[in-house]
Amino acid sequence: MASSATGRRARASGMSRQETRWAWLFLAPWVIGFLVFTGGPMIASLVLSFTEYDVISAPKFTGLDNYRQLMSDPAVAKSLGNTVFYTALHVPLAMAVSLGLALLLQRVGRASGLFRTIFYLPVMTPAVAVGILFLFLLNGQTGLINAMLALVGVQGPNWTTDPAWIKPGIVLMSLWTLGSTTIIYLAALNNVPRELYEAARIDGASSWRQFRHITVPMISGALFFTLIVNTIASLQLFAEVYTMYFGNRATQESTTDAALFYVVYLFQQAFQFLHMGFASAMAWLLFLIILAITVLQVRVGNRFVYYEGD
Amino acid sequence: MQVKVTEGGFDEQQFLSAVASGAPPDLVYVDREIIGTYAARGAIQPLDECISSAQIDMGQYRPAAVQQVTVDGKVYGIPEFYSVRVMMIGNKAVRDAGLSPAEVDTTDWSKLAGMAEKLTVTEGGKLKRIGFDPKIPEFLPLWVKANGGALLSEDGRTAQLNAPKVVEALTTTAGIVQASGGWGKLKSLRDSFDFFGAKNQFAKDQLGAFPMEDWYLNVLAEASPDVDITVAPFKDRQGNPLTFVTGSAWAVPKGAKNPDAACRFAKTMTEASTWVAAARARAEARAKKDLPFTGLYSGNKVADEQVFGEVYKPSGDAKFDDAVQTVLAVQEVAFATPPSPAGAEFQKAWQDAVNRVLTGQMEPAEALERAQGEAQAALDKAAGG
């Protein structure tokens, strides 16, 4: 008896070890990829952030100089301010519009597959193409957006040249690619049990109360996830803005501080001015800011988010 | 010799990564304005040995081009194109304003804003024609030189951005922009130009006048040969023709495996016979399409003499024929910005200042004072000071 139990335990333990080995084997490409392409460069950039390094010559240790410069460089504060402003405007707006679209898609019925595809298609457009497209659409004198505003008697601003309107213009552009968030919300909405709505209707709850007290709590997990992901993506916005305002010599020469986003300035420091050490320090500051915001969001979010199985 | 070319424009990031990893290309084709920075960083190598071993006659190149590739007495690049600026004037705009092309003259700065206003057309709050685009920030060095100043000292080490001559040039040109519709509208309309197409700003009467590089003549001759323009020299405040030159150069990166072959290639690409062959090819291509040939403008003076002596023939279209003569004449009075160890940062500092003024964020003196601090700090750091 005892020997058969020991044998079963030994077999189970052997299988477990085998499964573990297989698990590591399947995980290996991602683990190796992370170590080589993310973890390694992160450590390298941390080391470089304490040096003066122009890519060509060997790095020179400068202690905390780059971090001190971060505090004194007005362009760092300006670019960070622009990025935070954009994030504060873009994230809630993107979430609200995506949720609205998902609610509409849920009601479309049979044709929802077609509309899902249509709403998702812009996500497939390369960021560079989106940037160029919106440079034309947002043109204050000849752009389509101001032409449409003119139809309702509104004289649109110079979206691409007036510093006060550049960031709102970029936010407008960012709403082009809401497909992913919309699809996530649609999936979450479809998972809300119908009987909850039926019970609420029997109790005489209005549509708004059903939305407020059933829909929002039940999809709060999806809302929370997109809040975090969109915040991180917004703080790292680069390709579209770079294409619009820094993509070629002509745009670069006549752009304003209003379009200087944090990662754009980081890129300029690294590859235009060859201050790779300073750019590394900028990258680490951004990493810490994102980490702090995400931790805060998780702490606050956990109080309001409903997870299945809670 | 087998040559493998990376297609597309020069990619700074790709180039620096290649140099840093010890596997650079043998030869790069870059703007002469960046040569000073790359030389200071050690990304490219001096060509003195290459010049003597390949027997390259540096005397054949135009002095302003050679100055741009010479750092601390050493030559770091072999000059290629030589692009100068001239005034391009839309004749219809000028006639509509009751002016003549000769009156679109940059000598008397007190008249420029008024002239720009006359040439500007606005309808229903929309800018339809930019009167006079002074092309700032890009051409600020030209305006400053016309005012007797310079943005940078001769040795490329001292910024002079807060000098009164610079402040005055920026104040004047910002005033021209304001008179031409204001920066917001001007730039929006400029961004919508079909610059390289048949419906370009002159063909559509969207621009009165602007200073522009000579290569644009080739564009107009091909895209809209019937366009009604006049080309005239840009003038300084004493009424003397003046132009600002830029262009490209061949440079050999640090660690290049075949510097000798690279050197011979640069020599071949920039010698007179090559330019003549290129000019012939372009002239023939134009002739086949029955379009005017407006010449090639190189950094090689000997080559230009041969191109314009042997290949170029006046087309019979007076506006282009006169334009070619204007370009050739102003080449003799061209100036270039000196090479600087922090070229990109220096340029960004003064361009940011101009943009802050144009967008109404700062006054010229304040913006240039800030730029002076930024630029000098970058120059000092790059020079190891």
Side-chain angles (χ1 to χ4, degrees):
Chain A
M1 236 359 223
S3 70
S4 77
T6 311
R8 273 202 303 276
R9 270 202 299 275
R11 273 200 302 278
S13 164
M15 275 182 69
S16 165
R17 272 203 301 275
Q18 202 176 12
E19 279 180 3
T20 306
R21 274 201 295 273
W22 277 109
W24 276 112
L25 188 68
F26 284 120
L27 283 170
W30 283 269
V31 172
I32 293 169
F34 174 79
L35 291 175
V36 174
F37 297 114
T38 306
M42 279 181 77
I43 293 166
S45 85
L46 181 63
V47 173
L48 288 176
S49 74
F50 298 103
T51 68
E52 190 185 324
Y53 178 48
D54 66 3
V55 186
I56 310 296
S57 323
K60 274 189 285 187
F61 181 72
T62 54
L64 291 171
D65 281 4
N66 289 328
Y67 289 93
R68 276 190 212 104
Q69 198 188 331
L70 277 180
M71 301 303 137
S72 60
D73 183 347
V76 171
K78 181 74 189 170
S79 62
L80 199 55
N82 287 340
T83 309
V84 171
F85 177 92
Y86 165 81
T87 304
L89 217 60
H90 164 78
V91 174
L93 199 59
M95 288 175 70
V97 175
S98 298
L99 184 56
L101 289 173
L103 287 165
L104 286 174
L105 278 173
Q106 205 190 15
R107 288 163 188 260
V108 173
R110 272 191 191 175
S112 87
L114 173 71
F115 284 105
R116 270 205 308 264
T117 310
I118 291 171
F119 281 113
Y120 196 77
L121 273 179
V123 180
M124 313 297 284
T125 319
V128 171
V130 173
I132 292 170
L133 172 71
F134 271 84
L135 212 46
F136 287 115
L137 293 176
L138 290 168
N139 187 297
Q141 296 296 294
T142 58
L144 193 63
I145 290 171
N146 276 3
M148 287 165 72
L149 287 174
L151 291 177
V152 290
V154 177
Q155 191 179 349
N158 286 306
W159 298 95
T160 56
T161 52
D162 183 341
W165 285 98
I166 283 179
K167 283 188 286 292
I170 294 169
V171 171
L172 206 61
M173 173 194 65
S174 72
L175 300 180
W176 171 255
T177 47
L178 293 179
S180 303
T181 311
T182 306
I183 297 296
I184 290 168
Y185 289 162
L186 185 62
L189 287 171
N190 287 335
N191 277 342
V192 179
R194 300 293 103 189
E195 51 272 24
L196 292 179
Y197 292 109
E198 280 168 26
R201 274 197 293 274
I202 291 166
D203 289 343
S206 65
S207 299
W208 168 248
R209 283 176 71 92
Q210 288 176 46
F211 175 75
R212 171 75 185 80
H213 296 288
I214 299 173
T215 309
V216 172
M218 292 303 287
I219 66 163
S220 55
L223 291 172
F224 183 53
F225 171 74
T226 54
L227 172 72
I228 291 179
V229 170
N230 283 339
T231 303
I232 293 172
S234 299
L235 291 169
Q236 295 179 333
L237 186 73
F238 174 73
E240 292 91 339
V241 178
Y242 192 80
T243 307
M244 286 176 86
Y245 296 103
F246 302 89
N248 60 46
R249 198 173 173 155
T251 52
Q252 215 164 77
E253 279 168 354
S254 50
T255 194
T256 78
D257 295 343
L260 187 66
F261 277 54
Y262 192 83
V263 180
V264 171
Y265 188 51
L266 189 159
F267 183 86
Q268 285 183 333
Q269 286 293 335
F271 295 105
Q272 255 180 288
F273 310 145
L274 311 181
H275 298 154
M276 201 58 82
F278 182 63
S280 298
M282 283 187 74
W284 274 92
L285 177 65
L286 183 64
F287 175 72
L288 293 176
I289 290 170
I290 291 175
L291 187 69
I293 291 175
T294 308
V295 168
L296 185 72
Q297 286 176 334
V298 170
R299 291 243 167 117
V300 175
N302 279 341
R303 292 190 205 163
F304 303 103
V305 177
Y306 163 76
Y307 294 105
E308 264 181 85
D310 273 4
Chain B
M1 191 195 312
Q2 253 201 341
V3 180
K4 200 172 140 194
V5 180
T6 306
E7 288 184 21
F10 176 71
D11 184 331
E12 208 163 6
Q13 189 181 347
Q14 188 184 21
F15 168 65
L16 292 170
S17 309
V19 173
S21 65
D26 288 326
L27 191 63
V28 285
Y29 181 64
V30 291
D31 277 353
R32 290 199 287 271
E33 287 173 331
I34 200 74
I35 290 280
T37 304
Y38 284 164
R41 307 261 178 191
I44 53 175
Q45 48 183 288
L47 301 178
D48 298 321
E49 206 179 303
C50 137
I51 289 164
S52 73
S53 66
Q55 295 179 317
I56 300 175
D57 173 16
M58 291 305 288
Q60 67 188 317
Y61 303 112
R62 293 181 186 276
V66 175
Q67 181 210 344
Q68 283 186 297
V69 295
T70 307
V71 180
D72 294 335
K74 289 181 178 169
V75 175
Y76 282 83
I78 305 295
E80 223 228 24
F81 276 101
Y82 195 80
S83 187
V84 296
R85 279 81 180 149
V86 286
M87 287 293 295
M88 297 191 187
I89 302 155
N91 292 338
K92 181 181 179 302
V94 170
R95 279 196 302 272
D96 288 353
L99 299 168
S100 70
E103 287 175 273
V104 183
D105 186 306
T106 52
T107 306
D108 187 350
W109 283 17
S110 67
K111 290 181 179 167
L112 292 178
M115 180 183 70
E117 204 168 339
K118 278 187 193 171
L119 291 166
T120 300
V121 176
T122 308
E123 275 174 30
K126 290 221 179 244
L127 184 63
K128 294 290 175 186
R129 186 204 291 148
I130 297 167
F132 182 8
D133 182 357
K135 289 270 281 177
I136 54 169
E138 192 185 355
F139 287 3
L140 184 70
L142 178 62
W143 289 96
V144 171
K145 188 77 172 178
N147 199 25
L151 298 179
L152 189 61
S153 63
E154 285 292 315
D155 64 2
R157 308 273 162 151
T158 310
Q160 301 172 162
L161 301 180
N162 56 354
K165 300 264 185 200
V166 183
V167 176
E168 189 180 18
L170 179 52
T171 306
T172 302
T173 47
I176 298 172
V177 168
Q178 199 53 38
S180 295
W183 178 242
K185 290 180 179 177
L186 182 150
K187 185 169 184 303
S188 294
L189 184 57
R190 187 208 272 175
D191 288 346
S192 73
F193 287 167
D194 179 21
F195 206 73
F196 295 93
K199 293 179 181 171
N200 58 66
Q201 65 282 2
F202 285 122
K204 285 184 76 178
D205 189 27
Q206 292 172 313
L207 177 65
F210 71 163
M212 184 60 200
E213 286 105 326
D214 54 37
W215 56 259
Y216 196 59
L217 286 173
N218 274 320
V219 174
L220 291 175
E222 174 133 20
S224 58
D226 298 329
V227 74
D228 188 12
I229 58 160
T230 297
V231 173
F234 182 93
K235 290 182 186 166
D236 66 14
R237 295 188 74 176
Q238 283 69 49
N240 303 311
L242 177 73
T243 195
F244 169 46
V245 63
T246 52
S248 43
W250 296 99
V252 179
K254 171 188 161 190
K257 303 282 185 296
N258 300 297
D260 293 341
C263 192
R264 288 200 305 278
F265 188 84
K267 179 190 177 188
T268 306
M269 289 300 287
T270 58
E271 64 192 6
S273 58
T274 308
W275 282 110
V276 170
R280 272 192 217 289
R282 183 178 284 185
E284 282 167 18
R286 286 289 165 91
K288 274 185 193 164
K289 293 184 189 170
D290 201 22
L291 292 170
F293 170 56
T294 51
L296 281 182
Y297 306 97
S298 80
N300 185 327
K301 200 173 160 66
V302 178
D304 280 7
E305 282 164 7
Q306 291 182 21
V307 166
F308 287 94
E310 298 166 18
V311 184
Y312 171 78
K313 299 279 178 291
S315 64
D317 184 334
K319 65 174 178 286
F320 287 121
D321 295 345
D322 292 348
V324 168
Q325 295 312 315
T326 302
V327 172
L328 291 174
V330 298
Q331 282 182 332
E332 304 308 317
V333 291
F335 77 95
T337 47
S340 147
E345 282 161 285
F346 177 73
Q347 197 176 44
K348 185 174 186 300
W350 64 257
Q351 288 179 349
D352 281 353
V354 177
N355 285 313
R356 286 178 191 126
V357 172
L358 291 173
T359 52
Q361 293 167 289
M362 281 188 186
E363 291 299 314
E366 184 192 4
L368 288 166
E369 194 62 49
R370 177 174 160 180
Q372 171 70 17
E374 292 168 350
Q376 195 56 54
L379 289 168
D380 290 345
K381 196 172 176 183

